[in-house]
Amino acid sequence: MDTITPLYFSEPTTLHLLHEIFEQTKLHNGFQYSLSSVIAKVWPNSSKELSGDSLLALPALCNTAVGGSYQNFAWINAGWDLVYLALHLLDKIEDNEISDPIFTLYTPSQLNNIATAILFCAETAFDKIEEAGSFPVQRIKSIRSRFHNVILQMCEGQHQDLSKKQQHLKESWSIAEAKSGIFFALGCFAGARAASDNIPLFSSLEEYGYHLGLMIQIADDLGDLQDSFSGQGDIKTGKWSLPIAYAFSVLPDNERERLQRLLDEAKYSLEAEKTAHNIIIASGARIYLFLEAQKHRNKAEAVLKSIEIKPKYRGILMHHLNNIFQVKRDD
Amino acid sequence: MSLTTIAYKIATEPDFITRLRENPLNNKEIELLSDDEQRALQTFLSQKNVIIRLFTSGDGPDISESGWWTP
């Protein structure tokens, strides 16, 4: 495990800024409570200072890495965090993963509405940045426009994911790219762009974020495969994921047909779910996705080495890459 | 050979990983891989096991981690 220099971004936290939005927009206490309680559930540490090694501080980390100041940048970081939380919540609703007690206080339609409100809180955060005038207009325009583009592309990726029952491996990678790669790229871009006009510098950090995002998506899909037999795994819920797409791409025809039959049966048969899980593992899905994750890690590392940023920040960015898949070597 | 084929062969052909480990850099089967892919394979071949860390809402490493396979 690599050692990193601790870094904390103190007030204002995203939650402080959210309450500022509540006051300004004169939302009633009941709705404020609904928004806050759901956010606290999705993001348990939201009231505390933001640790530099939290992914929610990724934009702030990239911002300070290229010379920015968190005090000025906090609203942009809050905007990215709120989009992250809103999309995370929408994903949970769409995948029917809302069994947690706090979610059961609300109907799926109410949760949908709460996620939409959080998304517009993020928009309001950008109004605040423009009002404050702390950044050159052109930079804020390019960041805001990138946010809108990326959210639309993510919606497209999610739509494809929800629409197609089966995807080829290449399509699954495109969806992973749209769902995670470009979002983390956006966070890093926003952070670096707000503090710099140096195109190679902010493009490199954006590329780093893209590879990090894909690693996170790989870990997420592998985690869902691990979660099999808990009632929430992708096999049981019939969700098409990277390990499943991989298995279909390498298995011979007869085994592919067998796997498809088992996946169809897995919704109501634990035995079928277990057998499907074993076939996917035996096909080398974990090995393949580990290799892909390492490939992205290597690309991200090369990008970080190509730019000049303070060692302290480089260390935390590297820590993110090394923390998702930790390798224990023989030596 | 692509990463998918290599992963499948590692998983299904017991001799394959031994061949890769004996002569990893000059192995004909991996010569078409990019440098990043070859490095990824080296990491895989030298590992003892892998721990995966999962994220909740992204607020730091959380939930579960588990030791994995020893190829």
Side-chain angles (χ1 to χ4, degrees):
Chain A
M1 187 84 177
D2 44 356
T3 312
I4 58 165
T5 312
L7 176 70
Y8 294 99
F9 299 105
S10 55
E11 290 185 4
T13 65
T14 297
L15 205 66
H16 283 119
L17 298 175
L18 191 66
H19 282 286
E20 214 176 302
I21 293 172
F22 290 165
E23 280 172 28
Q24 184 199 323
T25 48
K26 299 186 173 64
L27 295 179
H28 288 111
N29 287 344
F31 190 50
Q32 282 191 31
Y33 171 78
S34 298
L35 290 175
S36 303
S37 61
V38 169
I39 288 172
K41 185 68 219 169
V42 179
W43 178 16
N45 296 324
S46 50
S47 59
K48 296 177 190 163
E49 62 189 356
L50 206 48
S51 165
D53 64 356
S54 160
L55 284 174
L56 287 167
L58 191 60
L61 183 62
C62 291
N63 181 260
T64 44
V66 301
S69 136
Y70 178 69
Q71 289 302 314
N72 287 339
F73 185 74
W75 276 110
I76 301 182
N77 200 80
W80 187 79
D81 283 354
L82 292 170
V83 171
Y84 191 168
L85 296 176
L87 297 180
H88 181 77
L89 182 57
L90 284 170
D91 197 43
K92 276 190 169 296
I93 300 164
E94 286 158 4
D95 293 343
N96 203 20
E97 292 170 0
I98 45 177
S99 54
D100 194 280
I102 188 73
F103 293 142
T104 55
L105 291 174
Y106 305 102
T107 64
S109 304
Q110 285 175 313
L111 287 172
N112 235 322
N113 188 49
I114 287 170
T116 309
I118 297 172
L119 212 45
F120 277 87
C121 287
E123 262 299 298
T124 310
F126 280 100
D127 291 338
K128 290 281 196 184
I129 301 157
E130 287 188 359
E131 282 165 22
S134 322
F135 296 99
V137 176
Q138 198 52 39
R139 285 188 198 168
I140 295 304
K141 257 182 98 172
S142 75
I143 292 171
R144 200 166 186 169
S145 151
R146 187 67 65 93
F147 260 80
H148 295 156
N149 273 332
V150 165
I151 293 170
L152 279 173
Q153 285 179 58
M154 290 177 76
C155 288
E156 185 188 18
Q158 180 73 348
H159 184 74
Q160 285 174 334
D161 201 17
L162 293 167
S163 307
K164 290 189 95 172
K165 196 168 184 295
Q166 279 197 8
Q167 295 135 13
H168 292 298
L169 186 56
K170 205 175 162 191
E171 289 175 299
S172 293
W173 279 117
S174 299
I175 289 169
E177 192 178 298
K179 286 176 74 174
S180 280
I182 58 171
F183 185 66
F184 286 89
L186 169 71
C188 296
F189 168 83
R193 181 71 185 100
S196 172
D197 291 320
N198 180 336
I199 297 173
L201 182 62
F202 64 69
S203 300
S204 296
L205 283 167
E206 182 179 18
E207 194 182 334
Y208 160 88
Y210 168 81
H211 293 298
L212 177 69
L214 279 174
M215 289 179 73
I216 290 167
Q217 187 62 51
I218 291 169
D220 199 36
D221 277 13
L222 281 172
D224 282 337
L225 188 68
Q226 298 261 101
D227 266 351
S228 293
F229 326 128
S230 68
Q232 293 286 330
D234 287 340
I235 297 174
K236 175 105 183 160
T237 56
K239 199 175 155 198
W240 199 258
S241 64
L242 287 167
I244 298 174
Y246 160 80
F248 272 84
S249 79
V250 292
L251 286 172
D253 288 349
N254 58 337
E255 285 188 53
R256 205 159 42 209
E257 284 164 19
R258 182 169 171 237
L259 179 58
Q260 184 58 64
R261 278 198 305 278
L262 290 163
L263 290 176
D264 292 338
E265 290 168 23
K267 292 177 190 73
Y268 47 87
S269 161
L270 183 62
E271 198 53 43
E273 189 186 351
K274 279 183 179 169
T275 313
H277 175 267
N278 292 341
I279 290 173
I280 293 165
I281 299 291
S283 73
R286 282 173 175 169
I287 298 167
Y288 169 65
L289 287 168
F290 174 77
L291 291 173
E292 286 286 355
Q294 285 298 306
K295 183 181 87 182
H296 286 291
R297 183 213 163 275
N298 296 340
K299 284 176 183 284
E301 182 184 33
V303 166
L304 282 184
K305 281 183 178 166
S306 73
I307 53 174
E308 280 191 24
I309 51 174
K310 288 179 188 166
K312 175 182 177 179
Y313 299 105
R314 192 191 309 277
I316 301 173
L317 291 167
M318 275 309 298
H319 171 76
H320 282 313
L321 296 178
N322 293 333
N323 198 36
I324 301 173
F325 292 88
Q326 288 178 22
V327 178
K328 289 191 176 174
R329 293 174 191 279
D330 277 333
D331 48 41
Chain B
M1 200 175 283
S2 64
L3 275 189
T4 50
T5 311
I6 285 178
Y8 185 66
K9 282 170 85 77
I10 289 173
T12 57
E13 294 175 22
D15 292 348
F16 185 70
I17 196 163
T18 314
R19 285 211 309 277
L20 283 180
R21 279 188 162 143
E22 277 169 1
N23 200 1
L25 288 173
N26 298 315
N27 201 300
K28 208 178 162 192
E29 279 139 329
I30 66 166
E31 65 188 11
L32 289 179
L33 297 180
S34 67
D35 288 349
D36 291 317
E37 289 172 338
Q38 290 202 18
R39 275 184 62 206
L41 189 59
Q42 298 301 326
T43 306
F44 174 79
L45 293 173
S46 66
Q47 74 177 306
K48 198 169 184 182
N49 62 42
V50 172
I51 291 171
I52 182 174
R53 281 175 181 264
L54 304 173
F55 295 85
T56 45
S57 58
D59 197 18
D62 196 15
I63 313 192
S64 62
E65 54 176 71
S66 45
W68 273 8
W69 62 145
T70 307

